[in-house]
Amino acid sequence: MDKFVIRGGNPLVGTIRVSGAKNSALPCMAAAILTEDEVTLENIPQVRDIETERRLLASMGAEVELREGELRDRTTICCRTLSDPVARYEIVKTMRASSLVLGPLIARAGVARVAMPGGCAIGGRPIDLHIKGLEKMGAVITQEHGYLEARAEHLRGAHLVFDKITVTGTEDLLMAAVLAEGDTLMENCAREPEVADLAALLNAMGAEIEGAGTATIRVHGVASLHGARYRINPDRIEAGTFLIAGAITAGDLIVANCNATHLGAVIAKLQEAGARIDVLGPDSIRVRATAELHAADISTEEYPGFPTDMQAQYMALATQAKGVSLVRENIFENRFMHVQELVRMGANIKVDGSIATVRGPARLTSAAVMCSDLRASASLVLAALVAEGETIVDRVYHMDRGYERFEEKLIGVGAQIQRLGNVFAPREPVAVAG
Ligand code: UD1
């Protein structure tokens, strides 16, 4: 298994570029199921979850092309033939977002067999809300042998009110609704930019969707969709991670190719903690830490609140801030697995239920630490960048699921990181979050 050897202490200086959003690319790739035509997606990040989704679509009979060289961030998917509308456990277990194919498969093929997502590192993560919505649209769903089987001759438009805000749930049902007969009104929807990204692609494919990116989405079902070409938005979580990298190392970093409007809560919190942040333009942000960082509390919320996917990284920063920071995790239970590793590096953190109390600044020293999930791994790398000595961060395959060339990008702005092991060697990670 690959590991990083990181020598801390260097301020990060220079320009670092953000890749396309993994969490937009995943539903957009699933959306290709909805048409017989080609869908071409640009700004696709080269990360393992994308590889997994390509394998998933290909295993159903889709033609999936990924360009090489200069054009390797572009992929064309053609689902003319869906010979086998089954999402097999062997593929689904490595990526929970595989449940995103459920809605589009029923809408397109009238039948879907999707393995239930496997054990998960950050809490139960059920998909009951996906199922409830599809049933309301007329699907009959049964569960047997670890698989969900869904059937519907015709999905009907419906009035759907989410009991709880769910990002992939909103996306899954949106993809079902675009080909349903009649109108669908979706309320209490996730407002994440990734939902809006997906809706923009679907509209480019001929769907009639209004309100994506707000809590209420209206869909007028159409008979069929056609192909489209679409450019995925930048990854706001990767951008936020780099902002913290700049602040925690007291560097001077320009985070380029990002979308500043998607980062409001993160920018505001870093400013509150004493980092100097200048939005240089719509796609470029400069971060500096010229003075001592001080404690600031966070509470994770659905967008536009502080993202749960930035909680672990923020906690690494909080270890270096003067005072007591309270970190409240409201979205997922059990999303504090990075804490024990940070503590092994010298952090002073106490967890009580969904609240972590971080006392800083703590002197971090190198240790051998282990990644438990995607964002936890980013948190450990950030801590290692300021730790004394050489930190070994093990199991970086978690990181490879969602960050494109993470260490290369950081090395480019002055970090000392070495990867040991084989990049993308076959391995069997469990289903994890992020
Ligand atoms: C997505 C993101 C993930 C992010 C999360 C929250 C993708 C591929 N992943 O995950 O990076 O951390 O949003 O911003 O986009 N829930 C239910 N029943 C359901 C669905 C969800 O109870 O049917 C609960 C979950 O257990 C969780 C909460 O709702 O407590 C939010 O989960 P959800 O928004 O669905 O997360 P994902 O879409 O899986």
PDB file of all heavy atoms in Angstrom, residues 179-212:
ATOM      1  N   LEU A 179     -37.026  11.870 -16.800  1.00  0.00           N
ATOM      2  CA  LEU A 179     -37.695  11.057 -17.829  1.00  0.00           C
ATOM      3  C   LEU A 179     -39.051  10.532 -17.343  1.00  0.00           C
ATOM      4  O   LEU A 179     -39.674   9.706 -18.017  1.00  0.00           O
ATOM      5  CB  LEU A 179     -36.808   9.871 -18.235  1.00  0.00           C
ATOM      6  CG  LEU A 179     -35.578  10.173 -19.098  1.00  0.00           C
ATOM      7  CD1 LEU A 179     -34.849   8.879 -19.458  1.00  0.00           C
ATOM      8  CD2 LEU A 179     -35.947  10.930 -20.364  1.00  0.00           C
ATOM      9  N   ALA A 180     -39.501  10.988 -16.171  1.00  0.00           N
ATOM     10  CA  ALA A 180     -40.798  10.518 -15.655  1.00  0.00           C
ATOM     11  C   ALA A 180     -41.930  11.201 -16.413  1.00  0.00           C
ATOM     12  O   ALA A 180     -41.750  12.268 -17.006  1.00  0.00           O
ATOM     13  CB  ALA A 180     -40.900  10.810 -14.161  1.00  0.00           C
ATOM     14  N   GLU A 181     -43.082  10.558 -16.342  1.00  0.00           N
ATOM     15  CA  GLU A 181     -44.251  11.116 -17.022  1.00  0.00           C
ATOM     16  C   GLU A 181     -44.844  12.223 -16.145  1.00  0.00           C
ATOM     17  O   GLU A 181     -45.177  11.971 -14.985  1.00  0.00           O
ATOM     18  CB  GLU A 181     -45.278   9.994 -17.149  1.00  0.00           C
ATOM     19  CG  GLU A 181     -45.993   9.932 -18.457  1.00  0.00           C
ATOM     20  CD  GLU A 181     -46.842   8.661 -18.472  1.00  0.00           C
ATOM     21  OE1 GLU A 181     -46.298   7.614 -18.875  1.00  0.00           O
ATOM     22  OE2 GLU A 181     -48.000   8.722 -18.046  1.00  0.00           O
ATOM     23  N   GLY A 182     -44.915  13.430 -16.653  1.00  0.00           N
ATOM     24  CA  GLY A 182     -45.523  14.524 -15.876  1.00  0.00           C
ATOM     25  C   GLY A 182     -44.500  15.311 -15.074  1.00  0.00           C
ATOM     26  O   GLY A 182     -43.292  15.208 -15.304  1.00  0.00           O
ATOM     27  N   ASP A 183     -45.011  16.085 -14.127  1.00  0.00           N
ATOM     28  CA  ASP A 183     -44.156  17.007 -13.372  1.00  0.00           C
ATOM     29  C   ASP A 183     -43.766  16.436 -12.016  1.00  0.00           C
ATOM     30  O   ASP A 183     -44.557  15.732 -11.385  1.00  0.00           O
ATOM     31  CB  ASP A 183     -44.896  18.334 -13.147  1.00  0.00           C
ATOM     32  CG  ASP A 183     -45.120  19.062 -14.469  1.00  0.00           C
ATOM     33  OD1 ASP A 183     -44.468  18.680 -15.473  1.00  0.00           O
ATOM     34  OD2 ASP A 183     -45.943  19.985 -14.507  1.00  0.00           O
ATOM     35  N   THR A 184     -42.576  16.789 -11.592  1.00  0.00           N
ATOM     36  CA  THR A 184     -42.125  16.402 -10.249  1.00  0.00           C
ATOM     37  C   THR A 184     -41.763  17.672  -9.491  1.00  0.00           C
ATOM     38  O   THR A 184     -41.065  18.541 -10.022  1.00  0.00           O
ATOM     39  CB  THR A 184     -40.898  15.468 -10.322  1.00  0.00           C
ATOM     40  OG1 THR A 184     -41.286  14.261 -10.998  1.00  0.00           O
ATOM     41  CG2 THR A 184     -40.378  15.106  -8.938  1.00  0.00           C
ATOM     42  N   LEU A 185     -42.234  17.746  -8.252  1.00  0.00           N
ATOM     43  CA  LEU A 185     -41.860  18.851  -7.366  1.00  0.00           C
ATOM     44  C   LEU A 185     -41.038  18.240  -6.236  1.00  0.00           C
ATOM     45  O   LEU A 185     -41.511  17.345  -5.528  1.00  0.00           O
ATOM     46  CB  LEU A 185     -43.130  19.515  -6.818  1.00  0.00           C
ATOM     47  CG  LEU A 185     -42.919  20.583  -5.739  1.00  0.00           C
ATOM     48  CD1 LEU A 185     -42.123  21.769  -6.292  1.00  0.00           C
ATOM     49  CD2 LEU A 185     -44.275  21.064  -5.202  1.00  0.00           C
ATOM     50  N   MET A 186     -39.790  18.707  -6.116  1.00  0.00           N
ATOM     51  CA  MET A 186     -38.908  18.168  -5.074  1.00  0.00           C
ATOM     52  C   MET A 186     -38.649  19.265  -4.046  1.00  0.00           C
ATOM     53  O   MET A 186     -38.188  20.348  -4.399  1.00  0.00           O
ATOM     54  CB  MET A 186     -37.570  17.715  -5.692  1.00  0.00           C
ATOM     55  CG  MET A 186     -37.737  16.589  -6.710  1.00  0.00           C
ATOM     56  SD  MET A 186     -36.246  16.298  -7.709  1.00  0.00           S
ATOM     57  CE  MET A 186     -35.099  15.697  -6.498  1.00  0.00           C
ATOM     58  N   GLU A 187     -38.937  18.948  -2.765  1.00  0.00           N
ATOM     59  CA  GLU A 187     -38.731  19.954  -1.723  1.00  0.00           C
ATOM     60  C   GLU A 187     -37.736  19.467  -0.679  1.00  0.00           C
ATOM     61  O   GLU A 187     -37.549  18.280  -0.496  1.00  0.00           O
ATOM     62  CB  GLU A 187     -40.070  20.281  -1.059  1.00  0.00           C
ATOM     63  CG  GLU A 187     -41.013  20.987  -2.032  1.00  0.00           C
ATOM     64  CD  GLU A 187     -42.275  21.479  -1.340  1.00  0.00           C
ATOM     65  OE1 GLU A 187     -42.267  22.612  -0.850  1.00  0.00           O
ATOM     66  OE2 GLU A 187     -43.245  20.709  -1.309  1.00  0.00           O
ATOM     67  N   ASN A 188     -37.132  20.454   0.005  1.00  0.00           N
ATOM     68  CA  ASN A 188     -36.060  20.190   0.975  1.00  0.00           C
ATOM     69  C   ASN A 188     -34.867  19.496   0.296  1.00  0.00           C
ATOM     70  O   ASN A 188     -34.255  18.580   0.831  1.00  0.00           O
ATOM     71  CB  ASN A 188     -36.563  19.358   2.153  1.00  0.00           C
ATOM     72  CG  ASN A 188     -35.675  19.516   3.376  1.00  0.00           C
ATOM     73  OD1 ASN A 188     -35.004  20.536   3.542  1.00  0.00           O
ATOM     74  ND2 ASN A 188     -35.647  18.504   4.227  1.00  0.00           N
ATOM     75  N   CYS A 189     -34.571  19.969  -0.908  1.00  0.00           N
ATOM     76  CA  CYS A 189     -33.456  19.395  -1.685  1.00  0.00           C
ATOM     77  C   CYS A 189     -32.117  19.916  -1.180  1.00  0.00           C
ATOM     78  O   CYS A 189     -32.031  20.989  -0.591  1.00  0.00           O
ATOM     79  CB  CYS A 189     -33.565  19.839  -3.152  1.00  0.00           C
ATOM     80  SG  CYS A 189     -35.038  19.250  -3.961  1.00  0.00           S
ATOM     81  N   ALA A 190     -31.069  19.159  -1.474  1.00  0.00           N
ATOM     82  CA  ALA A 190     -29.716  19.641  -1.214  1.00  0.00           C
ATOM     83  C   ALA A 190     -29.430  20.804  -2.165  1.00  0.00           C
ATOM     84  O   ALA A 190     -29.818  20.772  -3.329  1.00  0.00           O
ATOM     85  CB  ALA A 190     -28.717  18.511  -1.434  1.00  0.00           C
ATOM     86  N   ARG A 191     -28.742  21.835  -1.641  1.00  0.00           N
ATOM     87  CA  ARG A 191     -28.447  23.025  -2.460  1.00  0.00           C
ATOM     88  C   ARG A 191     -26.985  23.060  -2.892  1.00  0.00           C
ATOM     89  O   ARG A 191     -26.495  24.082  -3.356  1.00  0.00           O
ATOM     90  CB  ARG A 191     -28.783  24.277  -1.637  1.00  0.00           C
ATOM     91  CG  ARG A 191     -30.285  24.428  -1.410  1.00  0.00           C
ATOM     92  CD  ARG A 191     -30.580  25.611  -0.526  1.00  0.00           C
ATOM     93  NE  ARG A 191     -30.255  25.318   0.862  1.00  0.00           N
ATOM     94  CZ  ARG A 191     -30.171  26.241   1.832  1.00  0.00           C
ATOM     95  NH1 ARG A 191     -30.375  27.508   1.545  1.00  0.00           N
ATOM     96  NH2 ARG A 191     -29.873  25.892   3.060  1.00  0.00           N
ATOM     97  N   GLU A 192     -26.294  21.961  -2.724  1.00  0.00           N
ATOM     98  CA  GLU A 192     -24.871  21.899  -3.060  1.00  0.00           C
ATOM     99  C   GLU A 192     -24.633  22.258  -4.536  1.00  0.00           C
ATOM    100  O   GLU A 192     -25.453  21.911  -5.402  1.00  0.00           O
ATOM    101  CB  GLU A 192     -24.353  20.476  -2.802  1.00  0.00           C
ATOM    102  CG  GLU A 192     -23.754  20.232  -1.424  1.00  0.00           C
ATOM    103  CD  GLU A 192     -24.747  20.309  -0.276  1.00  0.00           C
ATOM    104  OE1 GLU A 192     -25.950  20.496  -0.523  1.00  0.00           O
ATOM    105  OE2 GLU A 192     -24.315  20.189   0.877  1.00  0.00           O
ATOM    106  N   PRO A 193     -23.516  22.918  -4.831  1.00  0.00           N
ATOM    107  CA  PRO A 193     -23.207  23.267  -6.222  1.00  0.00           C
ATOM    108  C   PRO A 193     -23.148  22.043  -7.136  1.00  0.00           C
ATOM    109  O   PRO A 193     -23.385  22.149  -8.340  1.00  0.00           O
ATOM    110  CB  PRO A 193     -21.816  23.917  -6.137  1.00  0.00           C
ATOM    111  CG  PRO A 193     -21.662  24.330  -4.722  1.00  0.00           C
ATOM    112  CD  PRO A 193     -22.501  23.414  -3.891  1.00  0.00           C
ATOM    113  N   GLU A 194     -22.875  20.873  -6.551  1.00  0.00           N
ATOM    114  CA  GLU A 194     -22.787  19.664  -7.379  1.00  0.00           C
ATOM    115  C   GLU A 194     -24.167  19.283  -7.931  1.00  0.00           C
ATOM    116  O   GLU A 194     -24.265  18.705  -9.018  1.00  0.00           O
ATOM    117  CB  GLU A 194     -22.199  18.504  -6.559  1.00  0.00           C
ATOM    118  CG  GLU A 194     -20.726  18.700  -6.147  1.00  0.00           C
ATOM    119  CD  GLU A 194     -20.513  19.686  -5.013  1.00  0.00           C
ATOM    120  OE1 GLU A 194     -21.440  19.878  -4.194  1.00  0.00           O
ATOM    121  OE2 GLU A 194     -19.427  20.308  -4.935  1.00  0.00           O
ATOM    122  N   VAL A 195     -25.226  19.604  -7.177  1.00  0.00           N
ATOM    123  CA  VAL A 195     -26.585  19.346  -7.670  1.00  0.00           C
ATOM    124  C   VAL A 195     -26.861  20.269  -8.860  1.00  0.00           C
ATOM    125  O   VAL A 195     -27.406  19.854  -9.892  1.00  0.00           O
ATOM    126  CB  VAL A 195     -27.636  19.568  -6.547  1.00  0.00           C
ATOM    127  CG1 VAL A 195     -29.043  19.407  -7.101  1.00  0.00           C
ATOM    128  CG2 VAL A 195     -27.392  18.610  -5.384  1.00  0.00           C
ATOM    129  N   ALA A 196     -26.447  21.522  -8.710  1.00  0.00           N
ATOM    130  CA  ALA A 196     -26.651  22.483  -9.804  1.00  0.00           C
ATOM    131  C   ALA A 196     -25.838  22.082 -11.036  1.00  0.00           C
ATOM    132  O   ALA A 196     -26.292  22.237 -12.180  1.00  0.00           O
ATOM    133  CB  ALA A 196     -26.261  23.885  -9.338  1.00  0.00           C
ATOM    134  N   ASP A 197     -24.645  21.558 -10.806  1.00  0.00           N
ATOM    135  CA  ASP A 197     -23.794  21.089 -11.911  1.00  0.00           C
ATOM    136  C   ASP A 197     -24.515  19.988 -12.695  1.00  0.00           C
ATOM    137  O   ASP A 197     -24.616  20.026 -13.919  1.00  0.00           O
ATOM    138  CB  ASP A 197     -22.498  20.506 -11.312  1.00  0.00           C
ATOM    139  CG  ASP A 197     -21.233  21.038 -11.983  1.00  0.00           C
ATOM    140  OD1 ASP A 197     -21.338  21.863 -12.909  1.00  0.00           O
ATOM    141  OD2 ASP A 197     -20.135  20.626 -11.563  1.00  0.00           O
ATOM    142  N   LEU A 198     -25.043  19.013 -11.952  1.00  0.00           N
ATOM    143  CA  LEU A 198     -25.754  17.907 -12.589  1.00  0.00           C
ATOM    144  C   LEU A 198     -26.965  18.427 -13.367  1.00  0.00           C
ATOM    145  O   LEU A 198     -27.200  18.022 -14.516  1.00  0.00           O
ATOM    146  CB  LEU A 198     -26.211  16.895 -11.522  1.00  0.00           C
ATOM    147  CG  LEU A 198     -27.189  15.821 -12.012  1.00  0.00           C
ATOM    148  CD1 LEU A 198     -26.514  14.892 -13.019  1.00  0.00           C
ATOM    149  CD2 LEU A 198     -27.755  15.006 -10.836  1.00  0.00           C
ATOM    150  N   ALA A 199     -27.724  19.335 -12.756  1.00  0.00           N
ATOM    151  CA  ALA A 199     -28.928  19.853 -13.416  1.00  0.00           C
ATOM    152  C   ALA A 199     -28.555  20.609 -14.694  1.00  0.00           C
ATOM    153  O   ALA A 199     -29.260  20.519 -15.706  1.00  0.00           O
ATOM    154  CB  ALA A 199     -29.700  20.757 -12.467  1.00  0.00           C
ATOM    155  N   ALA A 200     -27.432  21.317 -14.664  1.00  0.00           N
ATOM    156  CA  ALA A 200     -27.012  22.057 -15.863  1.00  0.00           C
ATOM    157  C   ALA A 200     -26.698  21.073 -16.992  1.00  0.00           C
ATOM    158  O   ALA A 200     -27.057  21.303 -18.157  1.00  0.00           O
ATOM    159  CB  ALA A 200     -25.790  22.918 -15.543  1.00  0.00           C
ATOM    160  N   LEU A 201     -26.043  19.954 -16.647  1.00  0.00           N
ATOM    161  CA  LEU A 201     -25.784  18.934 -17.672  1.00  0.00           C
ATOM    162  C   LEU A 201     -27.105  18.367 -18.189  1.00  0.00           C
ATOM    163  O   LEU A 201     -27.316  18.244 -19.402  1.00  0.00           O
ATOM    164  CB  LEU A 201     -24.910  17.803 -17.106  1.00  0.00           C
ATOM    165  CG  LEU A 201     -24.866  16.536 -17.984  1.00  0.00           C
ATOM    166  CD1 LEU A 201     -24.172  16.817 -19.316  1.00  0.00           C
ATOM    167  CD2 LEU A 201     -24.183  15.377 -17.272  1.00  0.00           C
ATOM    168  N   LEU A 202     -27.998  18.007 -17.268  1.00  0.00           N
ATOM    169  CA  LEU A 202     -29.273  17.395 -17.685  1.00  0.00           C
ATOM    170  C   LEU A 202     -30.052  18.355 -18.586  1.00  0.00           C
ATOM    171  O   LEU A 202     -30.628  17.938 -19.600  1.00  0.00           O
ATOM    172  CB  LEU A 202     -30.102  17.010 -16.450  1.00  0.00           C
ATOM    173  CG  LEU A 202     -29.535  15.851 -15.608  1.00  0.00           C
ATOM    174  CD1 LEU A 202     -30.285  15.737 -14.280  1.00  0.00           C
ATOM    175  CD2 LEU A 202     -29.610  14.524 -16.373  1.00  0.00           C
ATOM    176  N   ASN A 203     -30.068  19.632 -18.244  1.00  0.00           N
ATOM    177  CA  ASN A 203     -30.769  20.601 -19.104  1.00  0.00           C
ATOM    178  C   ASN A 203     -30.105  20.683 -20.476  1.00  0.00           C
ATOM    179  O   ASN A 203     -30.786  20.795 -21.496  1.00  0.00           O
ATOM    180  CB  ASN A 203     -30.838  21.973 -18.436  1.00  0.00           C
ATOM    181  CG  ASN A 203     -31.944  22.027 -17.379  1.00  0.00           C
ATOM    182  OD1 ASN A 203     -32.860  21.194 -17.367  1.00  0.00           O
ATOM    183  ND2 ASN A 203     -31.870  23.004 -16.483  1.00  0.00           N
ATOM    184  N   ALA A 204     -28.771  20.586 -20.485  1.00  0.00           N
ATOM    185  CA  ALA A 204     -28.068  20.589 -21.776  1.00  0.00           C
ATOM    186  C   ALA A 204     -28.421  19.339 -22.592  1.00  0.00           C
ATOM    187  O   ALA A 204     -28.305  19.324 -23.819  1.00  0.00           O
ATOM    188  CB  ALA A 204     -26.558  20.663 -21.555  1.00  0.00           C
ATOM    189  N   MET A 205     -28.864  18.289 -21.897  1.00  0.00           N
ATOM    190  CA  MET A 205     -29.259  17.053 -22.581  1.00  0.00           C
ATOM    191  C   MET A 205     -30.748  17.087 -22.982  1.00  0.00           C
ATOM    192  O   MET A 205     -31.279  16.099 -23.478  1.00  0.00           O
ATOM    193  CB  MET A 205     -29.020  15.840 -21.653  1.00  0.00           C
ATOM    194  CG  MET A 205     -27.548  15.554 -21.373  1.00  0.00           C
ATOM    195  SD  MET A 205     -27.296  14.411 -19.971  1.00  0.00           S
ATOM    196  CE  MET A 205     -27.948  12.877 -20.620  1.00  0.00           C
ATOM    197  N   GLY A 206     -31.422  18.188 -22.666  1.00  0.00           N
ATOM    198  CA  GLY A 206     -32.822  18.323 -23.075  1.00  0.00           C
ATOM    199  C   GLY A 206     -33.821  18.202 -21.944  1.00  0.00           C
ATOM    200  O   GLY A 206     -35.038  18.225 -22.181  1.00  0.00           O
ATOM    201  N   ALA A 207     -33.328  18.087 -20.702  1.00  0.00           N
ATOM    202  CA  ALA A 207     -34.259  18.005 -19.567  1.00  0.00           C
ATOM    203  C   ALA A 207     -34.849  19.383 -19.285  1.00  0.00           C
ATOM    204  O   ALA A 207     -34.319  20.400 -19.744  1.00  0.00           O
ATOM    205  CB  ALA A 207     -33.526  17.494 -18.330  1.00  0.00           C
ATOM    206  N   GLU A 208     -35.940  19.391 -18.526  1.00  0.00           N
ATOM    207  CA  GLU A 208     -36.565  20.668 -18.152  1.00  0.00           C
ATOM    208  C   GLU A 208     -36.599  20.758 -16.633  1.00  0.00           C
ATOM    209  O   GLU A 208     -37.514  20.262 -15.983  1.00  0.00           O
ATOM    210  CB  GLU A 208     -37.961  20.768 -18.767  1.00  0.00           C
ATOM    211  CG  GLU A 208     -37.887  20.838 -20.290  1.00  0.00           C
ATOM    212  CD  GLU A 208     -39.240  21.044 -20.950  1.00  0.00           C
ATOM    213  OE1 GLU A 208     -40.190  21.465 -20.271  1.00  0.00           O
ATOM    214  OE2 GLU A 208     -39.336  20.740 -22.162  1.00  0.00           O
ATOM    215  N   ILE A 209     -35.541  21.359 -16.089  1.00  0.00           N
ATOM    216  CA  ILE A 209     -35.382  21.446 -14.624  1.00  0.00           C
ATOM    217  C   ILE A 209     -35.260  22.917 -14.236  1.00  0.00           C
ATOM    218  O   ILE A 209     -34.510  23.661 -14.857  1.00  0.00           O
ATOM    219  CB  ILE A 209     -34.081  20.735 -14.169  1.00  0.00           C
ATOM    220  CG1 ILE A 209     -34.069  19.278 -14.623  1.00  0.00           C
ATOM    221  CG2 ILE A 209     -33.882  20.855 -12.666  1.00  0.00           C
ATOM    222  CD1 ILE A 209     -32.712  18.603 -14.474  1.00  0.00           C
ATOM    223  N   GLU A 210     -35.963  23.291 -13.193  1.00  0.00           N
ATOM    224  CA  GLU A 210     -35.837  24.653 -12.657  1.00  0.00           C
ATOM    225  C   GLU A 210     -35.564  24.574 -11.167  1.00  0.00           C
ATOM    226  O   GLU A 210     -36.127  23.729 -10.474  1.00  0.00           O
ATOM    227  CB  GLU A 210     -37.156  25.425 -12.820  1.00  0.00           C
ATOM    228  CG  GLU A 210     -37.348  26.033 -14.179  1.00  0.00           C
ATOM    229  CD  GLU A 210     -38.721  26.675 -14.303  1.00  0.00           C
ATOM    230  OE1 GLU A 210     -39.315  27.035 -13.263  1.00  0.00           O
ATOM    231  OE2 GLU A 210     -39.181  26.776 -15.439  1.00  0.00           O
ATOM    232  N   GLY A 211     -34.723  25.472 -10.690  1.00  0.00           N
ATOM    233  CA  GLY A 211     -34.546  25.612  -9.240  1.00  0.00           C
ATOM    234  C   GLY A 211     -33.396  24.796  -8.658  1.00  0.00           C
ATOM    235  O   GLY A 211     -33.205  24.825  -7.436  1.00  0.00           O
ATOM    236  N   ALA A 212     -32.631  24.070  -9.476  1.00  0.00           N
ATOM    237  CA  ALA A 212     -31.513  23.289  -8.917  1.00  0.00           C
ATOM    238  C   ALA A 212     -30.514  24.242  -8.268  1.00  0.00           C
ATOM    239  O   ALA A 212     -30.206  25.302  -8.812  1.00  0.00           O
ATOM    240  CB  ALA A 212     -30.834  22.481 -10.004  1.00  0.00           C
TER     241      ALA A 212
END
